[in-house]
Amino acid sequence: MRRAFLALLVATSAAAAPALRSGTFEPPREAPAFSLQGSNGASLQLASYRGKVVALGFGYTSCPDVCPATLADLAKARRKLGATAADFQVIYVTVDPERDDAVRLRKYLGAFDATFVGATGTPTALAEVRKSYGIQASRVGKEPDYFVPHSSYVYLVDRAGKLRAMVPFGAPVDDIVHDVNALLAQ
C-alpha cells in the first residue's frame, strides 16, 4: 500500500511539473565541469553555482549581433524573474580569448546586468570547454577586425548541475522565464 502511494505521489509530482519550452536533455546529464578565469579575476568553476539555475552561453565582446541580443534577452529574463532572480546565474564563456580578458568581459557583461559572470582562459582551455559542450567557433578575417562565428544557443543547468535545456537563439524571453521558473521550482 505504501509503495503504491509513493509511486502515485512521484507520478503526480512529475505530471505537475511544467514542461520546458526549450529543447530538453532526456535524460538530464551532468554538465561538463570546467575551471576558467572569471571576469572578477578569480577562478570560475561551474560547480560553484550548484543550488542555482545557470544559463551558460558562449560568445565574445566584439560580436556585432547575436551576443548582444542574447545577453539583452537574458537580462530581460532576469528582471522578469523578480525575487527568484537571486537563484539564477548567467555565465558567458568567451570564444575569443585573444581580445576578451577578465576586465573586458566584466565591463561588457556589466552593461547588460551586473550579476552576469564572464569566463576566459587560454585558447587550449577554452577549446576543451567548447568541445565538451559541442560549441563550434571559428575565426574569420584578419586582425584586428576579425569575427568569430559560433554556436548561438544557451544551456540551462539545473540546481544539481545537470544539463536540462538548450535555448535556441531568438527564443522569446517569456519562454526563457518559464523554463528558469520551472527549474527553480524543482
Side-chain angles (χ1 to χ4, degrees):
M1 175 85 159
R2 182 179 170 147
R3 194 179 299 214
F5 175 73
L6 288 175
L8 178 62
L9 182 63
V10 169
T12 304
S13 296
L20 299 179
R21 294 178 182 168
S22 301
T24 59
F25 289 89
E26 290 299 332
R29 64 180 174 96
E30 196 71 28
F34 60 81
S35 181
L36 296 169
Q37 180 186 11
S39 55
N40 61 359
S43 176
L44 186 148
Q45 298 174 354
L46 182 60
S48 299
Y49 293 94
R50 293 270 163 83
K52 293 187 176 205
V53 171
V54 173
L56 178 65
F58 294 80
Y60 66 115
T61 61
S62 299
C63 182
D65 45 24
V66 172
C67 297
T70 298
L71 291 164
D73 286 349
L74 290 170
K76 286 178 196 169
R78 190 168 191 290
R79 285 191 299 274
K80 285 186 165 204
L81 287 168
T84 62
D87 289 329
F88 176 61
Q89 180 63 56
V90 172
I91 299 175
Y92 219 63
V93 179
T94 187
V95 296
D96 186 11
E98 288 79 16
R99 293 186 286 200
D100 290 347
D101 62 15
V103 172
R104 185 171 176 156
L105 279 168
R106 182 173 55 250
K107 284 181 172 178
Y108 179 74
L109 294 171
F112 295 95
D113 188 295
T115 68
F116 289 7
V117 177
T120 190
T122 66
T124 301
L126 289 165
E128 288 175 16
V129 173
R130 285 194 312 272
K131 182 179 178 185
S132 69
Y133 281 91
I135 299 297
Q136 300 296 314
S138 59
R139 193 167 155 171
V140 176
K142 298 192 185 262
E143 302 252 356
D145 299 320
Y146 61 88
F147 294 98
V148 186
H150 58 87
S151 303
S152 59
Y153 43 84
V154 173
Y155 289 103
L156 293 181
V157 180
D158 70 14
R159 294 176 187 263
K162 303 269 190 211
L163 288 172
R164 296 299 300 277
M166 201 164 36
V167 181
F169 173 70
V173 171
D174 287 339
D175 285 359
I176 298 169
V177 172
H178 172 275
D179 288 355
V180 171
N181 274 326
L183 294 174
L184 287 171
Q186 295 179 0

